[in-house]
Amino acid sequence: MAYRLRAGDTGPVQQSPVTCGSACLTVARMLVDPVFASWVRTGEPRLPGSPAGETEAERFAAYERVVMRRTNGILAGPHWLDVPWPRALGTPPWGAKRELEYGAATSGTRYDVASVRHLSDAGLRAAFERLVDVVAQGEPGLLYVGSTHLPRHVVLVLPGDGDRVLDVYDPGTGRVGHLRRDTVVERRLGLSGWQVPWFIVQPTGHRRVRAFAPATSLGGARAPSNA
């Protein structure tokens, strides 16, 4: 059975102070991968590579750690190093982008990272409208929020009711609510106490031509196939 989240629902809560991004990416994968969602919720089926966990919370926490090791690793690929990111700030946006492209969103969906911290009100308004358009196609996005000085929290942005309003899953509380343009533009988001938008990791609206192999293990994201 497909896993779904809508405004008014309650999802999993992040299992450590620094895994908000990992929690969002784990939920994002649950939304597109019914087998993975079933494993998190019931423990079955147990595919090779799945971390240990007797309860739903333990399995969710274990996979959060798997995701963080990937997104915060030193190597961004076989031939280059990743940009340093303080572990205390959780998941780097570029690591989240890779995780979405290789397992936590529909295979082939391309993502980019937009810095919105220093945009004007008009710029934030345009950024929100762009986010509505690309997320409305069914792929999730991530919004980094924080204080005026630092990004401190990550939430998962989901398609809303079609009226230029998005849904947002806050891993700090597990609650799914509405994300409205005025709260973004006025920098009063109120997501786990944080108000200021910093980064958006969002679909580009384009798809890769190359095919992707189906997931055969819960321990890693899907890799490109040779097709």
Side-chain angles (χ1 to χ4, degrees):
M1 180 180 297
Y3 180 70
R4 295 286 183 266
L5 284 178
R6 299 286 189 270
D9 292 342
T10 300
V13 176
Q14 68 188 76
Q15 298 296 299
S16 88
V18 296
T19 53
C20 51
S22 300
C24 288
L25 292 164
T26 300
V27 168
R29 182 168 175 173
M30 291 173 70
L31 292 168
V32 299
D33 188 338
V35 173
F36 175 72
S38 176
W39 171 76
V40 172
R41 302 180 80 184
T42 71
E44 297 292 339
R46 186 173 176 82
L47 297 180
S50 55
E54 294 300 319
T55 67
E56 181 175 352
E58 289 175 352
R59 290 187 292 272
F60 191 84
Y63 200 76
E64 277 186 352
R65 294 190 290 271
V66 170
V67 172
M68 179 162 263
R69 284 196 296 271
R70 282 200 296 262
T71 59
N72 294 55
I74 295 174
L75 295 177
H79 304 298
W80 61 90
L81 295 176
D82 218 337
V83 179
W85 180 264
R87 184 177 178 83
L89 298 183
T91 303
W94 44 89
K97 172 182 179 292
R98 287 197 306 272
E99 188 74 12
L100 285 162
E101 290 183 334
Y102 290 96
T106 303
S107 293
T109 303
R110 300 178 64 181
Y111 277 79
D112 61 18
V113 178
S115 176
V116 298
R117 167 65 184 88
H118 297 292
L119 292 180
S120 64
D121 290 358
L124 275 177
R125 190 174 296 108
F128 180 85
E129 294 298 333
R130 169 64 176 164
L131 183 60
V132 170
D133 289 339
V134 294
V135 171
Q137 298 177 23
E139 302 296 344
L142 296 179
L143 175 62
Y144 283 65
V145 299
S147 67
T148 56
H149 303 294
L150 286 172
R152 299 302 303 270
H153 191 53
V154 186
V155 297
L156 183 68
V157 180
L158 303 167
D161 61 8
D163 191 27
R164 312 305 289 176
V165 175
L166 294 165
D167 288 348
V168 58
Y169 156 72
D170 184 345
T173 63
R175 291 194 293 268
V176 183
H178 290 302
L179 182 67
R180 301 183 184 278
R181 183 177 61 186
D182 58 338
T183 62
V184 174
V185 173
E186 296 169 13
R187 299 163 181 81
R188 52 178 182 86
L189 290 164
L191 293 166
S192 285
W194 303 108
Q195 308 294 344
V196 181
W198 274 79
F199 300 104
I200 298 174
V201 184
Q202 62 191 358
T204 64
H206 300 89
R207 306 270 296 175
R208 282 188 176 85
V209 174
R210 59 182 178 176
F212 280 65
T216 58
S217 167
L218 295 187
R222 288 168 286 190
S225 75
N226 293 323

